[in-house]
Short mmCIF file of all heavy atoms in Angstrom, two decimals:
data_model
loop_
_atom_site.label_atom_id
_atom_site.label_comp_id
_atom_site.label_asym_id
_atom_site.label_seq_id
_atom_site.Cartn_x
_atom_site.Cartn_y
_atom_site.Cartn_z
N ILE A 28 96.11 -73.49 135.56
CA ILE A 28 95.45 -73.66 136.89
C ILE A 28 95.54 -72.33 137.57
O ILE A 28 94.69 -71.83 138.36
CB ILE A 28 96.21 -74.71 137.69
CG1 ILE A 28 95.84 -76.18 137.16
CG2 ILE A 28 95.75 -74.72 139.19
CD1 ILE A 28 96.71 -77.20 137.80
N SER A 29 96.75 -71.62 137.38
CA SER A 29 96.84 -70.30 137.97
C SER A 29 95.79 -69.36 137.42
O SER A 29 95.38 -68.39 138.10
CB SER A 29 98.23 -69.73 137.72
OG SER A 29 98.44 -69.30 136.38
N ASN A 30 95.29 -69.50 136.18
CA ASN A 30 94.33 -68.64 135.53
C ASN A 30 92.90 -69.03 136.00
O ASN A 30 92.17 -68.20 136.46
CB ASN A 30 94.37 -68.73 133.97
CG ASN A 30 95.59 -68.03 133.40
OD1 ASN A 30 96.09 -67.20 134.09
ND2 ASN A 30 96.04 -68.46 132.37
N TYR A 31 92.66 -70.32 135.96
CA TYR A 31 91.29 -70.82 136.31
C TYR A 31 90.98 -71.05 137.77
O TYR A 31 89.94 -71.02 138.21
CB TYR A 31 90.92 -72.20 135.43
CG TYR A 31 90.43 -71.82 134.16
CD1 TYR A 31 91.28 -71.54 133.07
CD2 TYR A 31 88.97 -71.85 133.86
CE1 TYR A 31 90.81 -71.40 131.78
CE2 TYR A 31 88.57 -71.56 132.53
CZ TYR A 31 89.50 -71.36 131.53
OH TYR A 31 89.01 -71.07 130.21
N GLY A 32 92.09 -71.43 138.51
CA GLY A 32 91.93 -71.73 139.91
C GLY A 32 92.14 -70.65 140.83
O GLY A 32 91.44 -70.79 141.89
N THR A 33 92.94 -69.72 140.65
CA THR A 33 93.25 -68.73 141.58
C THR A 33 93.28 -67.31 140.99
O THR A 33 93.49 -66.34 141.78
CB THR A 33 94.76 -69.01 142.16
OG1 THR A 33 95.68 -68.91 141.12
CG2 THR A 33 94.67 -70.38 142.80
N ASN A 34 92.97 -67.08 139.74
CA ASN A 34 93.00 -65.76 139.24
C ASN A 34 91.56 -65.24 139.44
O ASN A 34 90.57 -65.88 139.08
CB ASN A 34 93.28 -65.82 137.65
CG ASN A 34 93.44 -64.47 137.05
OD1 ASN A 34 92.50 -63.75 136.93
ND2 ASN A 34 94.61 -64.05 136.67
N GLN A 35 91.45 -63.96 139.96
CA GLN A 35 90.22 -63.36 140.27
C GLN A 35 89.29 -63.25 139.07
O GLN A 35 88.09 -63.40 139.23
CB GLN A 35 90.44 -61.91 140.78
CG GLN A 35 89.20 -61.03 141.06
CD GLN A 35 88.29 -61.67 142.18
OE1 GLN A 35 88.86 -62.40 143.02
NE2 GLN A 35 87.15 -61.25 142.25
N ALA A 36 89.83 -63.00 137.88
CA ALA A 36 88.90 -62.86 136.72
C ALA A 36 88.06 -64.12 136.51
O ALA A 36 86.88 -64.08 136.00
CB ALA A 36 89.76 -62.54 135.45
N GLN A 37 88.67 -65.21 136.71
CA GLN A 37 87.98 -66.53 136.41
C GLN A 37 87.18 -66.95 137.75
O GLN A 37 86.09 -67.48 137.66
CB GLN A 37 88.97 -67.69 136.03
CG GLN A 37 89.68 -67.40 134.85
CD GLN A 37 88.82 -67.40 133.56
OE1 GLN A 37 87.81 -66.54 133.42
NE2 GLN A 37 88.93 -68.34 132.70
N VAL A 38 87.87 -66.82 138.89
CA VAL A 38 87.14 -67.19 140.19
C VAL A 38 85.81 -66.46 140.39
O VAL A 38 84.82 -66.99 140.66
CB VAL A 38 88.07 -66.99 141.39
CG1 VAL A 38 87.28 -67.20 142.64
CG2 VAL A 38 89.28 -67.95 141.29
N GLN A 39 85.89 -65.16 139.96
CA GLN A 39 84.71 -64.24 140.06
C GLN A 39 83.57 -64.80 139.26
O GLN A 39 82.37 -64.78 139.67
CB GLN A 39 85.15 -62.80 139.78
CG GLN A 39 84.05 -61.80 140.14
CD GLN A 39 84.53 -60.46 139.93
OE1 GLN A 39 85.71 -60.19 140.00
NE2 GLN A 39 83.58 -59.45 139.75
N ARG A 40 83.87 -65.20 138.09
CA ARG A 40 82.86 -65.78 137.20
C ARG A 40 82.15 -67.06 137.78
O ARG A 40 81.09 -67.29 137.69
CB ARG A 40 83.42 -66.15 135.82
CG ARG A 40 83.29 -64.86 134.92
CD ARG A 40 84.59 -64.51 134.17
NE ARG A 40 84.54 -63.14 133.84
CZ ARG A 40 84.75 -62.05 134.66
NH1 ARG A 40 85.11 -62.39 135.85
NH2 ARG A 40 84.67 -60.86 134.22
N ALA A 41 83.05 -67.93 138.30
CA ALA A 41 82.54 -69.17 138.94
C ALA A 41 81.59 -68.84 140.10
O ALA A 41 80.62 -69.51 140.31
CB ALA A 41 83.68 -70.08 139.37
N LEU A 42 81.98 -67.74 140.80
CA LEU A 42 81.08 -67.37 142.04
C LEU A 42 79.84 -66.74 141.67
O LEU A 42 78.92 -66.67 142.52
CB LEU A 42 81.98 -66.42 142.81
CG LEU A 42 83.24 -66.98 143.42
CD1 LEU A 42 83.88 -65.83 144.27
CD2 LEU A 42 82.95 -68.13 144.38
N THR A 43 79.57 -66.41 140.36
CA THR A 43 78.27 -65.86 139.92
C THR A 43 77.24 -67.03 139.74
O THR A 43 75.99 -66.76 139.61
CB THR A 43 78.35 -65.19 138.63
OG1 THR A 43 78.77 -66.07 137.60
CG2 THR A 43 79.38 -64.04 138.76
N CYS A 44 77.61 -68.32 139.77
CA CYS A 44 76.67 -69.45 139.60
C CYS A 44 75.85 -69.57 140.94
O CYS A 44 76.23 -69.22 142.07
CB CYS A 44 77.41 -70.72 139.37
SG CYS A 44 78.16 -70.78 137.69
N GLY A 45 74.73 -70.16 140.72
CA GLY A 45 73.76 -70.38 141.89
C GLY A 45 74.15 -71.36 142.86
O GLY A 45 73.68 -71.54 143.98
N SER A 46 75.07 -72.30 142.44
CA SER A 46 75.51 -73.47 143.34
C SER A 46 76.96 -73.82 142.90
O SER A 46 77.35 -73.56 141.81
CB SER A 46 74.59 -74.56 143.31
OG SER A 46 74.65 -75.28 141.97
N LEU A 47 77.57 -74.48 143.87
CA LEU A 47 79.00 -75.00 143.60
C LEU A 47 78.92 -76.03 142.49
O LEU A 47 79.82 -75.98 141.59
CB LEU A 47 79.50 -75.68 144.82
CG LEU A 47 80.92 -76.30 144.67
CD1 LEU A 47 81.90 -75.39 144.14
CD2 LEU A 47 81.36 -76.99 146.03
N ARG A 48 77.86 -76.81 142.45
CA ARG A 48 77.84 -77.77 141.24
C ARG A 48 77.72 -77.17 139.94
O ARG A 48 78.36 -77.58 139.02
CB ARG A 48 76.60 -78.79 141.57
CG ARG A 48 76.42 -79.74 140.43
CD ARG A 48 75.35 -80.76 140.75
NE ARG A 48 75.10 -81.62 139.61
CZ ARG A 48 75.72 -82.70 139.25
NH1 ARG A 48 76.93 -82.90 140.02
NH2 ARG A 48 75.44 -83.41 138.26
N HIS A 49 76.88 -76.12 139.87
CA HIS A 49 76.80 -75.33 138.68
C HIS A 49 78.17 -74.70 138.17
O HIS A 49 78.54 -74.65 137.04
CB HIS A 49 75.72 -74.34 138.77
CG HIS A 49 74.35 -74.78 138.67
ND1 HIS A 49 73.24 -74.12 138.96
CD2 HIS A 49 74.00 -76.11 138.24
CE1 HIS A 49 72.08 -74.84 138.76
NE2 HIS A 49 72.56 -76.06 138.38
N ALA A 50 78.89 -74.16 139.19
CA ALA A 50 80.22 -73.66 139.06
C ALA A 50 81.14 -74.63 138.44
O ALA A 50 81.94 -74.31 137.53
CB ALA A 50 80.71 -72.93 140.23
N GLN A 51 81.13 -75.90 138.94
CA GLN A 51 81.95 -76.93 138.53
C GLN A 51 81.58 -77.37 137.04
O GLN A 51 82.47 -77.73 136.25
CB GLN A 51 81.90 -78.13 139.48
CG GLN A 51 82.54 -77.87 140.84
CD GLN A 51 82.32 -78.90 141.85
OE1 GLN A 51 81.22 -79.51 141.88
NE2 GLN A 51 83.31 -79.10 142.68
N ILE A 52 80.33 -77.45 136.80
CA ILE A 52 79.84 -77.79 135.45
C ILE A 52 80.35 -76.71 134.52
O ILE A 52 80.80 -77.00 133.38
CB ILE A 52 78.30 -77.91 135.42
CG1 ILE A 52 77.83 -79.08 136.27
CG2 ILE A 52 77.82 -78.02 134.00
CD1 ILE A 52 76.30 -79.16 136.48
N ALA A 53 80.22 -75.43 134.84
CA ALA A 53 80.69 -74.33 134.00
C ALA A 53 82.14 -74.51 133.65
O ALA A 53 82.63 -74.25 132.48
CB ALA A 53 80.44 -72.97 134.67
N LEU A 54 82.95 -74.84 134.66
CA LEU A 54 84.36 -75.13 134.40
C LEU A 54 84.66 -76.25 133.45
O LEU A 54 85.55 -76.12 132.62
CB LEU A 54 85.05 -75.36 135.70
CG LEU A 54 85.31 -74.11 136.61
CD1 LEU A 54 85.70 -74.39 138.02
CD2 LEU A 54 86.46 -73.17 136.02
N TRP A 55 83.97 -77.34 133.71
CA TRP A 55 84.19 -78.49 132.83
C TRP A 55 83.71 -78.34 131.36
O TRP A 55 84.29 -78.84 130.41
CB TRP A 55 83.48 -79.75 133.37
CG TRP A 55 84.34 -80.39 134.40
CD1 TRP A 55 84.12 -80.51 135.81
CD2 TRP A 55 85.61 -81.08 134.19
NE1 TRP A 55 85.19 -81.27 136.41
CE2 TRP A 55 86.13 -81.56 135.52
CE3 TRP A 55 86.38 -81.32 133.13
CZ2 TRP A 55 87.32 -82.28 135.62
CZ3 TRP A 55 87.53 -82.02 133.20
CH2 TRP A 55 88.03 -82.57 134.51
N ILE A 56 82.73 -77.45 131.22
CA ILE A 56 82.24 -77.09 129.80
C ILE A 56 83.42 -76.37 129.09
O ILE A 56 83.43 -76.43 127.86
CB ILE A 56 81.01 -76.23 129.88
CG1 ILE A 56 79.77 -77.04 130.35
CG2 ILE A 56 80.75 -75.63 128.54
CD1 ILE A 56 78.54 -76.17 130.61
#
């Protein structure tokens, strides 16, 4: 969780998605 939820390297990738839903889908994949 510290890596995927609060680490800049992962958070920044999630923020590249076009919507929050897409970011969440990317995480679950």
Side-chain angles (χ1 to χ4, degrees):
I28 292 171
S29 73
N30 290 335
Y31 275 82
T33 61
N34 186 290
Q35 173 68 18
Q37 298 294 64
V38 171
Q39 191 173 337
R40 270 131 203 79
L42 296 176
T43 64
C44 290
S46 68
L47 174 59
R48 178 173 174 79
H49 285 168
Q51 291 172 323
I52 292 172
L54 283 164
W55 276 110
I56 290 175

